[in-house]
Structure formats: structure tokens, C-alpha cells
Amino acid sequence: MATLLFFKSVLIGLSIAAPVGPIGLLCIQRTLGQGARIGFISGLGAAMADACYGALGAFGISAITQIFVTLVTPLAFFGALFLAWMGVKILRASAPEHAASAGDPTRALPAFASVFFLTLSNPLTILSFVAIFATLSSGETMSGADGMVVVLGVFFGSALWWLTLSLGVSCVRHRLGVDAMRWIDRSAGVFLLGFAAWQLVRVIAN
């Protein structure tokens, strides 16, 4: 039973992480610019945020979950501003700067933290977990052991996706020249600004 629950949770983690969006784009851009290590660490930030929401759903902490649902709009607004800042930062950086920072150990924590908070503020992540766990638990609170299995499964599934993505993207990293990297950075920055604008429009419309 625990094994089946774990694999179900792994699939949940994969299904939440896999759709390409601003988080995936950011991890791809960081992998190309700074290597698979920074790309994967960035992805682990998303996996940890997924595990946090997984814990809320698995342990039936409905009061806290409801708070996050209520805060979807302000969180989305904060996330949009953060995305816009990240987009501008990428546009202002150069490809040589990214390459020079690839081996800098101090880059790991900011890479992890930025994606962690971006994922926490993503309204789609919040609503997806609410819907999935409502179906998975049928409204019942799980036992402590089952809850831990679910949290670990969600984290593992999400982390597996980011590891696969970062390793796959890194395979083509060294084939790209400075001009190609500059074009990719500019495209990523523009797309992140586009995601931010789209999210702000949705917040204002609601």
C-alpha cells in the first residue's frame, strides 16, 4: 500500500513539475548559462515548494491550505513582480557573465531560493495541489506515515523531472557560442516578462 502511494505521489510530483512554464524556462536558461548544477539546484527549489504544498494536502492542514487559497491573488501579484525582476535581470546580464559565475558556489543558494519562492507564489501550483489531494485523500486526513510517503514521493517526482531536464539541456550547452547564448538569454528574459505581464493581467481581471 505504501509503495503504491509513493508511486502515485511521484506521478503527482512529475505532473506538477513537467508542464513548461516560467519555472521550467528559468531552469533551462540557468542550465545553459551556468551549467547543470545550477539548473538542477534551481529545480530543487521548485521541488521543495511542491513538497511543502504536498505536506499541506497530505496532512489535511485545511486551515493553512485555505489561507493559501485565499491569498492566491496577492501571491500571484508578488510572483508576477518577481518574474518581471528576473526577466529584467537576465536581459541586463551578458553571456560571459553567466559563464564566469558558473563555478561560483555562492550562486547555489540564490538559485534555489528564487525558484522556491516563485513556485510558492504560483497560483496554478496552489490550485493544482488542492484539486489533486482532494481526489487522492477523498477528504480524509492521512496518517503520519502515509503523509510522509506522499511528501517524499512528490519531492522525488518533481526533483526527478528537474534532474532529467537539467542533464538533458546541459548536453547541448557546450555546443552554443556566445552569440547563441546572448540570443537565448534575451529570449528567456522577454518570455519571463511576458509571463509576468500575463499574470498581472489575470490578477487585475479577477
Side-chain angles (χ1 to χ4, degrees):
M1 182 65 181
T3 302
L4 179 60
L5 184 61
F6 177 77
F7 281 109
K8 283 184 178 179
S9 303
V10 169
L11 290 177
I12 290 174
L14 282 169
S15 67
I16 295 294
V20 178
I23 305 300
L25 180 62
L26 189 57
C27 289
I28 290 172
Q29 186 271 335
R30 286 179 176 176
T31 299
L32 289 173
Q34 302 175 60
R37 174 177 168 271
I38 293 297
F40 178 54
I41 290 174
S42 298
L44 284 182
M48 183 60 70
D50 290 342
C52 289
Y53 281 129
L56 294 180
F59 291 110
I61 310 176
S62 57
I64 300 178
T65 303
Q66 189 57 44
I67 290 174
F68 275 99
V69 173
T70 304
L71 293 176
V72 162
T73 297
L75 283 173
F77 181 75
F78 166 78
L81 293 181
F82 198 8
L83 271 179
W85 177 75
M86 292 297 299
V88 171
K89 185 178 178 182
I90 290 173
L91 285 173
R92 295 182 64 182
S94 65
E97 287 176 356
H98 287 313
S101 64
D104 187 354
T106 64
R107 303 289 296 178
L109 182 58
F112 176 92
S114 60
V115 175
F116 175 76
F117 288 114
L118 272 177
T119 306
L120 280 183
S121 64
N122 186 347
L124 293 179
T125 303
I126 300 171
L127 298 177
S128 295
F129 270 108
V130 169
I132 288 172
F133 278 100
T135 302
L136 185 66
S137 64
S138 300
E140 299 178 0
T141 302
M142 295 182 181
S143 67
D146 285 346
M148 286 303 300
V149 168
V150 168
V151 173
L152 289 174
V154 168
F155 178 81
F156 181 82
S158 183
L160 180 62
W161 167 255
W162 298 117
L163 177 63
T164 303
L165 181 67
S166 59
L167 290 177
V169 172
S170 69
C171 291
V172 300
R173 175 175 177 248
H174 296 293
R175 301 177 185 177
L176 302 174
V178 173
D179 290 339
M181 283 303 307
R182 187 174 290 113
W183 182 87
I184 289 171
D185 285 344
R186 288 174 179 172
S187 299
V190 169
F191 274 111
L192 288 180
L193 286 173
F195 279 120
W198 176 75
Q199 193 156 308
L200 280 175
V201 169
R202 286 175 61 88
V203 169
I204 294 172
N206 292 331

